[in-house]
Amino acid sequence: MLEEVERWLRTRSWSLSDRPLQQILAAKRATGQSVSVVLPALDEEETVGDIVAAIRHDLMVRAPLVDELVVVDSGSTDRTAEVAAAAGARVVHRDEILPRLPAVPGKGEVLWRSLLATGGDLVCFVDADLREFSSDFVTGIVGPLLTDPDVHLVKAMYDRPLGGAAGQGGRVTELMARPLLNMHWPQLAGFVQPLGGEYAARRSLLEQLPFPVGYGVELGMLVDALHLVGLDALAQVDVGVRKHRHQDGQALGRMAAAIYRTAQLRLARGHLVRPALTQFERGEDGFEPRTYSVDTEERPPMVEIAEYAARKVA
């Protein structure tokens, strides 16, 4: 590991206990910064309500940390929107944001559009499929941004159990993302959960970043932020354990392909690998191929969008 990374791990990796809630609230009052929490959601009616309710009760009603709680629904066919609204979130459909630009499927697309649907100085992203959720996830990653002006992006780190085995979740992280980062961006080798969906950042950073529309958004954001603001502006906080729905092996394969594609685009803007992935499923006549396109589109930095620029002027 690079000496720079070892030093970063000592100075930019924290735990929840390093910043008690009262200290974070005092920093918020002193700086006057506002906080938006965004949950990207697709068919998450079983979990989204509990997450929204916890954040609203703990960090809006009981403690005034979060100013805006928004669920961006990316086309749910279940009751995600109704459950989220009943729990106290403002629900916005992905297609209602920047309607002149047709939306494409993908998590990164939703996160990118959420910048236009929120107004907080700090934006905190939380996946909507978490179980046994604690509002500590939010305080943990927002805290450093409020207390340290030199920090621009904070990732949550945690254990990810799979079944009964501790630390066996995050298979795409271990098999794809971590090797890519260690080989090509070794400054980022210290991130425990580089693909984790819980992170917070300053709007002033997020609006300058391109957003891969699909699963590559977290890796792309980390790499681009490194180049834009440097390693010391990035941090991570240990928030304990993350429990969520695990995807099957083929879905993970498609995710890995999108992440590799995102990395490849950043390594060389010239020759591109074939943006497709063929997987196999056993059918009546043996193994049958299924070919999926890999997310290749990226949204430009939000500051380049006319509607966003007009809102800032207004």
Side-chain angles (χ1 to χ4, degrees):
M1 183 178 291
L2 297 176
E3 289 185 11
E4 180 183 9
V5 176
E6 292 180 351
R7 178 191 56 78
W8 179 85
L9 282 169
R10 293 193 302 271
T11 61
R12 285 292 188 261
S13 293
W14 296 299
S15 67
L16 285 169
S17 61
D18 291 327
R19 290 176 179 80
L21 179 58
Q22 291 307 313
Q23 178 187 355
I24 297 171
L25 292 172
K28 176 178 165 65
R29 290 191 296 269
T31 62
Q33 296 177 93
S34 54
V35 177
S36 297
V37 174
V38 173
L39 277 68
L42 176 63
D43 295 331
E44 303 293 357
E45 67 174 341
E46 292 185 6
T47 51
V48 69
D50 289 342
I51 299 171
V52 168
I55 295 172
R56 183 167 182 79
H57 175 266
D58 296 350
L59 304 179
M60 298 181 81
V61 176
R62 192 171 65 180
L65 179 65
V66 173
D67 301 282
E68 186 178 34
L69 178 53
V70 179
V71 170
V72 182
D73 188 346
S74 58
S76 298
T77 57
D78 64 3
R79 298 179 60 252
T80 291
E82 293 88 339
V83 170
R90 175 164 65 90
V91 179
V92 184
H93 194 282
R94 173 199 63 196
D95 297 345
E96 298 172 355
I97 308 169
L98 201 61
R100 71 167 175 85
L101 192 64
V104 297
K107 179 184 179 182
E109 176 83 352
V110 174
L111 300 184
W112 181 73
R113 288 176 185 260
S114 76
L115 296 182
L116 195 56
T118 56
D121 302 305
L122 310 179
V123 183
C124 173
F125 298 117
V126 176
D127 281 350
D129 67 341
L130 303 187
R131 303 180 185 278
E132 300 178 30
F133 175 79
S134 168
S135 59
D136 287 344
F137 273 59
V138 176
T139 56
I141 55 181
V142 168
L145 296 170
L146 288 169
T147 59
D148 190 335
D150 294 328
V151 175
H152 289 254
L153 185 149
V154 183
K155 297 278 292 189
M157 57 177 167
Y158 33 65
D159 292 317
R160 295 181 66 182
L162 178 62
Q168 294 302 305
R171 290 160 288 173
V172 175
T173 292
E174 301 303 331
L175 296 175
M176 175 60 71
R178 200 176 308 286
L180 280 172
L181 292 175
N182 275 264
M183 288 187 290
H184 299 296
W185 296 281
Q187 286 178 295
L188 298 175
F191 276 93
V192 175
Q193 297 291 353
L195 301 185
E198 289 67 50
Y199 48 98
R202 301 189 187 279
R203 177 175 295 271
S204 57
L205 170 63
L206 293 172
E207 66 186 12
Q208 297 183 68
L209 300 177
F211 275 60
V213 299
Y215 285 121
V217 62
E218 275 85 21
L219 183 134
M221 187 179 297
L222 206 54
V223 170
D224 293 340
L226 172 68
H227 290 299
L228 193 62
V229 296
L231 181 60
D232 281 343
L234 313 180
Q236 60 185 352
V237 174
D238 188 348
V239 297
V241 179
R242 182 187 197 266
K243 296 182 180 180
H244 65 112
R245 182 186 67 251
H246 292 281
Q247 301 193 55
D248 62 37
Q250 293 210 331
L252 295 178
R254 297 190 290 274
M255 185 185 300
I259 290 164
Y260 176 75
R261 170 71 169 185
T262 299
Q264 193 266 343
L265 283 170
R266 280 152 179 76
L267 287 168
R269 295 287 176 175
H271 174 70
L272 301 180
V273 296
R274 174 174 170 261
L277 174 72
T278 299
Q279 298 177 318
F280 294 87
E281 298 178 6
R282 184 180 289 280
E284 294 181 359
D285 299 319
F287 285 103
E288 301 174 355
R290 300 283 188 273
T291 299
Y292 302 88
S293 61
V294 175
D295 295 319
T296 60
E297 188 171 354
E298 296 195 4
R299 294 303 192 188
M302 187 56 80
V303 289
E304 298 177 9
I305 300 300
E307 288 89 340
Y308 189 79
R311 189 187 74 171
K312 294 190 72 175
V313 170

